[in-house]
């Protein structure tokens, strides 16, 4: 195994995929990166463009545009491919359309002999992660969705900004659906080991509504960005790179991902955003935060909305 190197296969080189590839290259996380897209020209152009940045990269990455047979030796397949919501199209239309696209993609990947980890970012991410798990037949630990990793990052950024503290010293989570029913876990929100409820006591002009606004801005961030520039991609791309590092470097990092629940948080047979320990084998374990009654109720509502949306697609 002397020649064994890490290979990431990226399916979908649109805004999110190409930003991920760029960030991955800049952080020198993998030795090999293969780009695959229905639009071959786009994938080929991206491979050329990224290769020209190699002299400035921190380490060597072999980058090429390829096809599904390249997934055979991949440690990680990252999926950012899919259709976006069109005007007049319902969320359910999008779910059905992307589930069909995913069936085709996952079948091709599995036919290559792939036996690694899947990381999914396409929306609706919780449902499509479930789809990948179903279609691939891989163990639940090896199918991961980006879940609320970005929402949690937005939450930490805004809290850090509000309290004027480095965002990396903020420990707080957004859990639930990556979407309108997600929720902040205020009961487990800390700055440098101090509960937010304590920290706010030192802030002269503190008002509860400021915290409420922070969460609203987190939840609606995608709408605000899409209104201005049509899509969001840098934040999620960096979140996917963070996850890639946790996986390939066997970090046992706690990140909020879409993980399969089998009794945790009182829920079963669902992929949804929760903190989890992530390493080279995928999801080692789901971290069960102690929630308040109100948080439990909101989480369970979020799961029920996801289940209802999934019903027609998976005949559950
Ligand atoms: P995009 O339209 O720019 O890119 C999609 C790419 O998928 C295109 O290059 C297209 O050619 C490719 N594609 C479509 N069907 C394919 C197939 N069958 N096989 C291979 N490639 C195929 O879209 P984007 O802005 O990059 O967004 C991608 C997805 O990421 C969307 O679903 C978006 O909602 C989602 N997203 C998720 C998060 C998150 O937090 N999880 C954040 C932002 C965006």
């Amino acid at each position: 195994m002397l020649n064994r190197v890490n290979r990431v296969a990226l399916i979908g080189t649109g805004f999110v995929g190409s930003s991920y590839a760029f960030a991955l290259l800049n952080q020198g996380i993998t030795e090999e990166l293969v780009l695959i897209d229905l639009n071959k020209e786009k994938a080929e152009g991206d491979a050329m463009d990224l290769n020209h940045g190699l002299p400035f990269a921190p380490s060597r990455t072999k980058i090429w545009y390829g096809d599904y047979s390249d997934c055979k030796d991949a440690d990680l397949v990252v999926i950012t491919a899919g259709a976006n919501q069109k005007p007049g199209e319902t969320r359910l239309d999008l779910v059905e359309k992307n589930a069909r696209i995913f069936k085709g993609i996952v079948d091709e990947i599995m036919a290559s002999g792939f036996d690694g980890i899947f990381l999914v970012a396409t929306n609706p991410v919780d449902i499509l992660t479930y789809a990948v798990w179903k279609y691939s037949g891989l163990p639940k630990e090896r199918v991961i969705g980006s879940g609320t990793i970005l929402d949690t990052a937005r939450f930490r950024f805004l809290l850090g900004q509000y309290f004027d503290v480095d965002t990396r010293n903020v420990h707080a989570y957004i859990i639930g659906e990556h979407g309108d029913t997600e929720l902040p876990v205020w009961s487990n929100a800390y700055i440098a080991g101090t509960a937010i409820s304590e920290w706010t006591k030192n802030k002269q002009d503190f008002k509860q509504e400021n915290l409420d606004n922070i969460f609203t801005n987190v939840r609606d961030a995608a709408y605000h960005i899409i209104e201005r520039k049509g899509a969001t991609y840098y934040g999620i791309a960096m979140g996917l790179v963070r996850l890639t590092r946790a996986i390939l470097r066997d970090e046992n990092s706690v990140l909020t991902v879409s993980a399969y629940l089998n009794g945790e948080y009182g829920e079963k047979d669902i992929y949804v955003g929760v903190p989890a320990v992530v390493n080279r084998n995928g999801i080692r374990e789901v971290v069960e935060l102690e929630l308040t009654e109100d948080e439990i109720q909101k989480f369970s509502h979020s799961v029920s909305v996801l289940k209802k949306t999934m019903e027609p697609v998976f005949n559950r």
Side-chain angles (χ1 to χ4, degrees):
M1 294 296 274
L2 279 178
N3 291 329
R4 189 77 191 88
V5 295
N6 284 313
R7 176 181 297 183
V8 175
L10 171 64
I11 321 295
T13 57
F15 283 116
V16 174
S18 57
S19 304
Y20 166 73
F22 182 60
L24 198 63
L25 179 62
N26 272 298
Q27 294 186 33
I29 308 283
T30 185
E31 286 86 13
E32 294 186 348
L33 173 63
V34 53
L35 309 180
I36 301 167
D37 197 293
L38 199 57
N39 181 347
K40 287 197 176 120
E41 301 252 289
K42 173 70 167 84
E44 185 177 19
D46 272 335
M48 291 161 76
D49 200 357
L50 289 165
N51 270 321
H52 300 162
L54 277 179
F56 315 113
S59 58
R60 185 177 170 275
T61 307
K62 183 182 168 196
I63 307 164
W64 70 104
Y65 92 97
D67 56 43
Y68 287 103
S69 64
D70 292 309
C71 294
K72 180 179 187 301
D73 296 325
D75 301 274
L76 180 67
V77 167
V78 179
I79 311 184
T80 64
N84 272 325
Q85 208 162 339
K86 304 279 178 306
E89 204 172 44
T90 67
R91 229 165 123 235
L92 186 58
D93 292 336
L94 186 69
V95 175
E96 287 177 343
K97 195 196 282 182
N98 274 337
R100 263 197 311 279
I101 293 176
F102 266 49
K103 178 84 175 78
I105 291 175
V106 173
D107 282 354
E108 294 227 50
I109 293 169
M110 296 314 289
S112 76
F114 171 69
D115 194 25
I117 294 175
F118 273 108
L119 176 56
V120 182
T122 309
N123 277 320
V125 67
D126 303 291
I127 298 175
L128 291 174
T129 308
Y130 185 92
V132 170
W133 172 63
K134 277 271 170 198
Y135 301 153
S136 68
L138 287 177
K140 62 180 176 18
E141 295 78 15
R142 286 206 265 137
V143 179
I144 309 174
S146 57
T148 45
I149 195 165
L150 176 60
D151 317 73
T152 292
R154 286 169 173 157
F155 194 37
R156 292 179 181 199
F157 164 72
L158 289 175
L159 285 170
Q161 195 182 44
Y162 179 62
F163 290 111
D164 198 16
V165 171
D166 186 336
T167 178
R168 291 167 301 182
N169 295 119
V170 180
H171 286 269
Y173 303 93
I174 300 286
I175 60 171
E177 172 206 7
H178 170 60
D180 297 342
T181 65
E182 66 188 27
L183 60 132
V185 187
W186 289 117
S187 62
N188 282 266
Y190 293 90
I191 296 175
T194 307
I196 293 262
S197 52
E198 276 301 306
W199 197 277
T200 51
K201 289 182 183 153
N202 305 327
K203 197 166 167 73
Q204 308 285 310
D205 53 352
F206 170 74
K207 289 194 218 84
Q208 179 56 41
E209 69 182 75
N210 297 139
L211 292 191
D212 298 340
N213 286 339
I214 284 178
F215 170 62
T216 309
N217 282 328
V218 167
R219 189 196 54 207
D220 300 341
Y223 298 115
H224 296 154
I225 298 172
I226 289 168
E227 245 166 52
R228 288 164 172 81
K229 57 176 236 175
T232 84
Y233 35 93
Y234 296 135
I236 184 59
M238 291 179 76
L240 292 171
V241 170
R242 177 70 193 86
L243 270 163
T244 303
R245 200 176 75 203
I247 294 165
L248 296 183
R249 302 208 175 149
D250 197 25
E251 285 186 346
N252 288 314
S253 300
V254 176
L255 297 161
T256 23
V257 292
S258 196
Y260 185 86
L261 298 189
N262 189 21
E264 297 91 343
Y265 291 94
E267 303 291 347
K268 278 194 166 173
D269 198 28
I270 189 82
Y271 267 91
V272 67
V274 285
V277 180
V278 178
N279 67 20
R280 183 81 205 184
N281 297 314
I283 294 177
R284 193 188 76 190
E285 65 187 269
V286 167
V287 176
E288 280 197 80
L289 301 170
E290 202 170 313
L291 304 181
T292 62
E293 273 309 311
D294 180 54
E295 289 162 352
I296 291 171
Q297 192 265 323
K298 284 184 175 142
F299 184 75
S300 131
H301 170 68
S302 188
V303 168
S304 68
V305 167
L306 273 176
K307 284 193 167 168
K308 201 166 183 326
T309 316
M310 287 166 73
E311 255 167 35
V313 187
F314 299 100
N315 300 316
R316 292 155 38 112

